[in-house]
């Protein structure tokens, strides 16, 4: 069987090029995509797909990249499979002027990042490093995130596409490629054209640990709390002022800290998490993300937040509040359980790459969460990215190679089974 080979280190070269293009998304922007610079990478990707003979590759007005590898199978009933990754990087940490560094032949040592030597990757703090002895590790330099989330997935899909186009003897059905903007701010498929995409099943390439396939995500809501206080001159405020800032602070302080908080939860425990605050004495606003694996539990967390606010604001009779809770995405397992072959084929593809599959849940969401409910069942496959959204982010070249191999295997397996 023909195997993918990382010729001339093309995979890491491609990845390093992509991470140096700033594609940070902006949750406060109302444009689509939220930042125009995401299209800078989109143009590069569309041109690379065109150069390898994918003739319909293009970047649309909303920042999405589409492309099709036509079927080369003599079977007419092969399902159309989509591989998807997002181009944006997290707004939590700068993605400007990323300086990627390759640490070859890792031997378990501390990795000190040169532009800020207080940032050190230690094996006891990054347990997955224990499985990387002898591998090449890529980090940023200490002043930015790396952008492996999700440019590792983007690079892997491009590499797999090139391999399939250069090796027509590998039989596969129609393959669709989708690169999305704004996944990190929950808008990754807002303008995805599934009719144009025309896929039956999909796989996001946006996971962490080697061999992982994720068929379950959080269900997620967003909440915006606005407190309307009473502002007066501070010199004459006694008995009159009701500071919206202080009321908001009381609400946040009253939320459970030993549970229902990201800092104190793990596995399938959910949380209520304030992600931003701003305002003045007269009016202050906080944004929350609310997460749970079960929809009813998620609803109860929203009710708890509302009850906490009501309890606090009773002490401020002249103040009011508005709480707006909106759906972001739902646990994709609700859909994927209806399509066991999608998971089974992903697991078989990982096995064929010589890896032990790890079927698991993810304490987060992917574009696949919403795509699944939009009619495209879409689990998540590992990409080799780790410690994302921060300056300690890293990726393993060898794990990325296995992700490419897994993508190719998935395409082959769906053709074989048709």
């Amino acid at each position: 069987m023909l195997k993918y080979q990382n010729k001339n280190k093309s995979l890491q070269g491609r990845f390093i090029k992509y991470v140096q293009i700033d594609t940070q998304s902006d949750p406060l922007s109302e444009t689509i995509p939220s930042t125009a610079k995401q299209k800078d990478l989109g143009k590069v990707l569309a041109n690379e797909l065109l150069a390898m003979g994918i003739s319909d590759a293009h970047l649309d007005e909303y920042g999405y990249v589409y492309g099709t590898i036509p079927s080369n199978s003599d079977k007419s009933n092969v399902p159309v499979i989509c591989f998807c990754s997002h181009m944006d990087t997290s707004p939590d940490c700068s993605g400007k002027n990323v300086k990627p560094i390759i640490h070859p032949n890792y031997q378990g040592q501390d990795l000190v990042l040169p532009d800020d030597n207080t940032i050190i990757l230690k094996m006891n703090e990054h347990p997955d490093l224990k499985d990387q002895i002898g591998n090449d590790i890529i980090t940023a330099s200490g002043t930015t995130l790396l952008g492996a989330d999700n440019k590792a997935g983007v690079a892997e899909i491009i590499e797999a596409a090139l391999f399939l186009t250069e090796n027509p003897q590998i039989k596969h059905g129609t393959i669709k490629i989708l690169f999305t903007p704004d996944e990190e701010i929950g808008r990754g498929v807002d303008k995805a054209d599934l009719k144009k995409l025309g896929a039956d099943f999909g796989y996001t390439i946006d996971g962490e640990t080697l061999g992982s396939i994720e068929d379950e995500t959080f269900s997620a809501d967003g909440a915006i709390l606005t407190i309307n206080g009473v502002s007066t001159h501070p010199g004459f405020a006694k008995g009159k002022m009701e500071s919206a800032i202080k009321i908001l602070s009381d609400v946040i302080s009253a939320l459970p800290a030993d549970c229902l908080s990201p800092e104190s939860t793990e596995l399938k425990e959910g949380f209520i998490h304030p992600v931003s605050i701003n305002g003045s004495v007269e009016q202050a606003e906080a944004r929350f993300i609310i997460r749970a694996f079960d929809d009813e539990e998620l609803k109860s967390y929203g009710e708890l937040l509302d009850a906490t606010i009501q309890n606090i604001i009773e002490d401020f009779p002249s103040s009011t509040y508005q709480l707006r809770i909106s759906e972001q995405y739902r646990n994709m397992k609700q859909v994927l359980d209806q399509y066991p072959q999608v998971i089974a084929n992903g697991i078989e593809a990982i096995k064929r790459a010589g890896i032990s599959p790890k079927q698991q849940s993810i304490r987060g969401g992917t574009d696949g969460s919403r795509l699944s409910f939009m009619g495209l069942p879409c689990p998540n496959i590992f990409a080799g990215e780790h410690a994302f959204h921060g300056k300690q982010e890293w990726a393993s070249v060898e794990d990325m190679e296995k992700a490419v191999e897994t993508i190719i295997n998935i395409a082959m397996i769906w053709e074989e089974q048709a």
Side-chain angles (χ1 to χ4, degrees):
M1 182 185 296
L2 189 64
K3 289 284 188 179
Y4 164 75
Q5 293 180 331
N6 184 11
K7 296 178 181 178
N8 301 315
K9 299 185 177 180
S10 60
L11 177 58
Q12 54 265 53
R14 195 181 301 282
F15 173 69
I16 284 171
K17 177 172 71 173
Y18 298 163
V19 300
Q20 293 180 83
I21 301 172
D22 182 10
T23 58
Q24 188 177 44
S25 49
D26 179 4
L28 301 181
S29 169
E30 296 182 358
T31 63
I32 304 173
S34 64
T35 54
K37 59 189 176 183
Q38 294 180 66
K39 289 186 176 182
D40 295 341
L41 177 57
K43 292 173 186 175
V44 170
L45 299 174
N47 287 333
E48 289 184 357
L49 293 172
L50 288 169
M52 67 178 73
I54 298 177
S55 59
D56 70 338
H58 65 282
L59 171 70
D60 77 1
E61 61 181 307
Y62 301 115
Y64 293 77
V65 176
Y66 298 84
T68 305
I69 305 175
S71 172
N72 63 3
S73 174
D74 56 4
K75 302 175 182 178
S76 61
N77 62 336
V78 185
V80 178
I81 303 302
C82 172
F83 296 105
C84 173
S85 288
H86 65 89
M87 297 176 289
D88 65 316
T89 61
S90 170
D92 295 343
C93 184
S94 174
K96 186 177 181 180
N97 296 324
V98 173
K99 299 176 185 176
I101 299 170
I102 298 179
H103 307 265
N105 190 24
Y106 174 71
Q107 293 298 313
Q109 73 275 18
D110 291 350
L111 298 177
V112 181
L113 305 191
D115 287 348
D116 185 345
N117 58 19
T118 66
I119 299 178
I120 304 171
L121 276 67
K122 300 179 180 181
M123 186 180 288
N124 64 340
E125 296 174 356
H126 298 267
D128 281 345
L129 283 173
K130 294 176 182 177
D131 299 320
Q132 300 296 335
I133 302 302
N135 291 348
D136 294 345
I137 305 299
I138 304 178
T139 69
S141 63
T143 59
T144 66
L145 49 63
L146 174 61
D149 178 14
N150 183 225
K151 290 167 184 173
V154 171
E156 290 152 8
I157 291 172
I158 292 284
E159 279 283 301
L162 181 61
F163 185 83
L164 291 172
T165 57
E166 290 182 340
N167 294 280
Q169 68 273 37
I170 296 178
K171 298 301 179 182
H172 58 82
T174 300
I175 303 298
K176 295 288 185 172
I177 294 168
L178 176 64
F179 297 130
T180 64
D182 290 337
E183 189 267 1
E184 295 289 5
I185 58 173
R187 307 178 201 165
V189 296
D190 279 6
K191 293 293 183 179
D193 188 339
L194 295 197
K195 184 176 180 180
K196 176 169 70 174
L197 189 67
D200 297 307
F201 305 106
Y203 297 85
T204 51
I205 314 300
D206 192 16
E208 184 182 23
T209 304
L210 178 70
S212 63
I213 176 170
E214 293 156 340
D215 64 344
E216 184 172 21
T217 62
F218 274 137
S219 285
D221 284 343
I224 302 175
L225 168 61
T226 304
I227 302 291
N228 301 296
V230 178
S231 178
T232 62
H233 189 289
F236 306 92
K238 185 174 181 179
K240 302 174 184 176
M241 179 183 288
E242 294 182 0
S243 170
I245 295 173
K246 292 181 179 179
I247 297 169
L248 186 56
S249 298
D250 288 347
V251 170
I252 293 172
S253 296
L255 292 171
D258 58 348
C259 63
L260 295 186
S261 172
E263 301 94 323
S264 59
T265 54
E266 61 182 351
L267 303 175
K268 290 195 175 182
E269 299 168 334
F271 54 74
I272 304 168
H273 179 42
V275 293
S276 69
I277 56 173
N278 63 79
S280 62
V281 170
E282 187 169 48
Q283 186 177 81
E285 178 185 278
R287 292 175 180 259
F288 298 79
I289 59 173
I290 308 173
R291 301 291 187 261
F293 283 94
D294 178 81
D295 287 359
E296 287 301 313
E297 189 174 353
L298 182 73
K299 181 181 177 182
S300 73
Y301 293 168
E303 292 169 349
L304 173 62
L305 176 59
D306 194 26
T308 301
I309 300 163
Q310 290 184 38
N311 186 54
I312 295 296
I313 210 159
E314 284 179 358
D315 293 333
F316 302 92
S318 297
S319 297
T320 60
Y321 79 96
Q322 292 85 42
L323 177 65
R324 289 163 287 166
I325 297 178
S326 57
E327 179 177 321
Q328 293 180 325
Y329 56 86
R330 289 295 179 261
N331 187 342
M332 62 184 177
K333 188 173 178 61
Q334 299 171 31
V335 174
L336 291 176
D337 279 350
Q338 303 172 46
Y339 301 93
Q341 189 179 9
V342 181
I343 302 300
N345 287 358
I347 289 173
E348 175 61 22
I350 292 169
K351 288 179 178 177
R352 290 191 187 184
I355 310 163
S356 296
K358 303 177 179 67
Q359 186 174 349
Q360 58 191 34
S361 306
I362 179 173
R363 286 177 58 80
T366 68
D367 279 335
S369 302
R370 290 182 60 199
L371 287 171
S372 293
F373 284 90
M374 292 167 66
L376 184 65
C378 193
N380 191 39
I381 299 289
F382 72 95
E385 59 199 51
H386 297 267
F388 22 82
H389 294 200
K391 296 175 183 178
Q392 295 196 17
E393 186 181 16
W394 59 276
S396 163
V397 173
E398 285 74 13
D399 289 1
M400 291 172 65
E401 291 172 351
K402 287 297 184 182
V404 176
E405 197 172 326
T406 298
I407 294 168
I408 296 165
N409 290 342
I410 289 172
M412 294 169 61
I413 290 167
W414 279 100
E415 194 277 338
E416 291 170 12
Q417 294 184 353

